Amino acid sequence: MTVVCDGQQTLTTGRAARELELRTGEFELATQLGEVRTVVAGADDRPGDTGSLGRRRVPAEEIARLQAEPGFPDSLRERIRAVSTTEAAALMGIGPGRAVRLTRAGCFGPVRFYVNRFGAVVWLYLAAEVADFADREPDLMRGNTPAAMRVMLDSGQDWRARQWRSRRVAQLMGQTDDPWEAAAVIAAVLPPEELASVAEDPLERSLLRRLRPTLASVITVTPAARESFERVLTAEDFDEVLWYRVHLSRCLERARREDPGRLRTPAAVPSTARPGQSPSFLNSPSWTTETSSLPSRS
C-alpha cells in the first residue's frame, strides 16, 4: 500500500523489497548501508513505535531512482553483497586462516552476522570493502604479519564484534536527531550495570528501554545461540565500555537540556529525523604495512 508521509508517497518496507527484487535480509542491509533511503513512518501507522528508530517506509521516488539505474537489480545487489570469511579470502587471493587474522585485527569490519545452533557467530563482510582493502594493502596479503598486529592477535584480541557494534551504532545515530533516541542507541550496547551507573534516574532508564532500537534481527534457536547473540550486542572491553559511557553521558546531558518534559510523558513521542552525516563510531585500528605500534583505541 502507498501512503503519503511528509508530502511524499511511500511504500512499506516489504513492498519496497519486492519492487527492488531484494530478499528480506538484502533489503535490511541495503537500508542500513544507506543504499536505500527510508523515512519515518507516520505517527498513526502503528501504536508503540519508537519515533525515528521505529517503523520506517521507503519513498516511491527512491524506488524509481534505483530501478532506473543501469544494470538494476544486479548493480544494487552487488553493492550490498555480503560474503563469508572463506569467500572474502578468495576475493583477496589468500588463505582462510590469514583472512581470519585480518578480520580479528580489525582490518575490515563485518556488516552482518548470524549465530548457528552451536552458538558460533558467523560473520559476513561487504564484498566491496574486502576488495578495496586488498587493493589498498597488498603487502598484508602475503609475507609476515606486522609485529604489532602479531602481538595483538597473540594476546587474543578480536575486533569483529566491536566493529560491528560501532558500525550499527553509527547507522542508527544517523537516523535520528532526537536527543533521547540518540541516548537510547548508545544505551543499547552498554551492559545493564554500566547503563544504570550512567543513567541513575529510573525514569530515564525506563524511557531508554522504550526507545531502544533493534540492533540486529537474528534467529536464535538454542540457549548457546542466544548467549552468543547477546554477547555480540554488548560492549565488553574496558576502553570500549568507557567510550560508550562517555558518549551516553553527553547524550543524556543534551536530552535533559533540550527535552526535559519527555520523562513525564507516558510513551515516547515520534520525531522526524533529518538526513545528515552520521558521526563516525567505527572505532578501529588503522593497520598498514608500516605499522610499528599498537593502535590507540580511545
Side-chain angles (χ1 to χ4, degrees):
M1 184 176 75
T2 302
V3 173
V4 175
C5 291
D6 291 333
Q8 57 184 334
Q9 288 189 327
T10 63
L11 286 70
T12 64
T13 54
R15 170 71 183 281
R18 291 191 296 272
E19 292 287 337
L20 295 174
E21 301 181 41
L22 298 177
R23 293 188 293 271
T24 300
E26 291 175 326
F27 179 81
E28 183 181 62
L29 181 57
T31 60
Q32 291 176 1
L33 295 174
E35 291 290 345
V36 177
R37 184 173 65 89
T38 62
V39 296
V40 183
D44 57 350
D45 237 319
R46 184 178 296 178
D49 286 333
T50 56
S52 302
L53 303 178
R55 295 182 70 246
R56 301 179 72 84
R57 298 178 67 92
V58 181
E61 64 180 22
E62 179 73 351
I63 302 295
R65 179 186 70 82
L66 291 166
Q67 290 176 333
E69 285 185 344
F72 172 85
D74 293 338
S75 56
L76 174 59
R77 286 204 189 102
E78 183 59 27
R79 294 200 299 273
I80 62 172
R81 182 164 68 96
V83 296
S84 66
T85 304
T86 300
E87 292 169 324
L91 280 175
M92 294 185 288
I94 60 177
R98 181 176 285 261
V100 169
R101 289 173 67 83
L102 291 174
T103 61
R104 284 181 54 208
C107 292
F108 48 90
V111 290
R112 293 182 70 83
F113 73 94
Y114 65 90
V115 185
N116 65 25
R117 63 192 182 93
F118 302 107
V121 178
V122 180
W123 298 105
L124 300 173
Y125 306 87
L126 201 61
E129 291 182 356
V130 173
D132 179 67
F133 172 77
D135 290 341
R136 200 173 62 247
E137 295 291 344
D139 289 347
L140 286 178
M141 302 299 106
R142 55 191 174 276
N144 295 328
T145 302
M149 186 186 295
R150 191 164 56 248
V151 169
M152 172 188 170
L153 293 170
D154 290 346
S155 70
Q157 294 190 50
D158 187 339
W159 278 75
R160 289 174 293 185
R162 178 177 181 143
Q163 285 191 306
W164 178 84
R165 286 188 292 270
S166 177
R167 185 195 295 264
R168 188 69 181 115
V169 166
Q171 290 166 347
L172 289 165
M173 293 289 280
Q175 289 182 4
T176 184
D177 62 356
D178 180 285
W180 288 107
E181 289 178 0
V185 171
I186 302 295
V189 297
L190 277 173
E193 66 277 8
E194 298 289 346
L195 171 59
S197 70
V198 178
E200 298 180 358
D201 187 338
L203 288 177
E204 288 187 348
R205 292 199 301 276
S206 177
L207 177 58
L208 294 176
R209 282 194 297 270
R210 290 203 304 271
L211 294 174
R212 179 187 172 96
T214 299
L215 295 175
S217 302
V218 175
I219 297 175
T220 54
V221 296
T222 65
R226 182 67 189 177
E227 182 180 346
S228 296
F229 173 69
E230 293 293 342
R231 193 159 52 244
V232 170
L233 302 189
T234 309
E236 291 184 318
D237 292 341
F238 172 79
D239 62 327
E240 184 190 12
V241 170
L242 179 60
W243 193 89
Y244 283 120
R245 281 179 57 102
V246 170
H247 280 271
L248 176 59
S249 295
R250 291 174 179 172
C251 286
L252 287 174
E253 288 174 3
R254 178 191 165 207
R256 292 163 186 153
R257 182 176 64 252
E258 296 183 5
D259 191 6
R262 187 74 162 275
L263 294 176
R264 293 186 288 276
T265 58
V269 178
S271 63
T272 302
R274 291 192 301 266
Q277 180 67 37
S278 64
S280 174
F281 286 85
L282 194 54
N283 187 18
S284 61
S286 298
W287 292 115
T288 67
T289 51
E290 289 78 32
T291 300
S292 59
S293 62
L294 286 172
S296 169
R297 298 198 290 171
S298 59

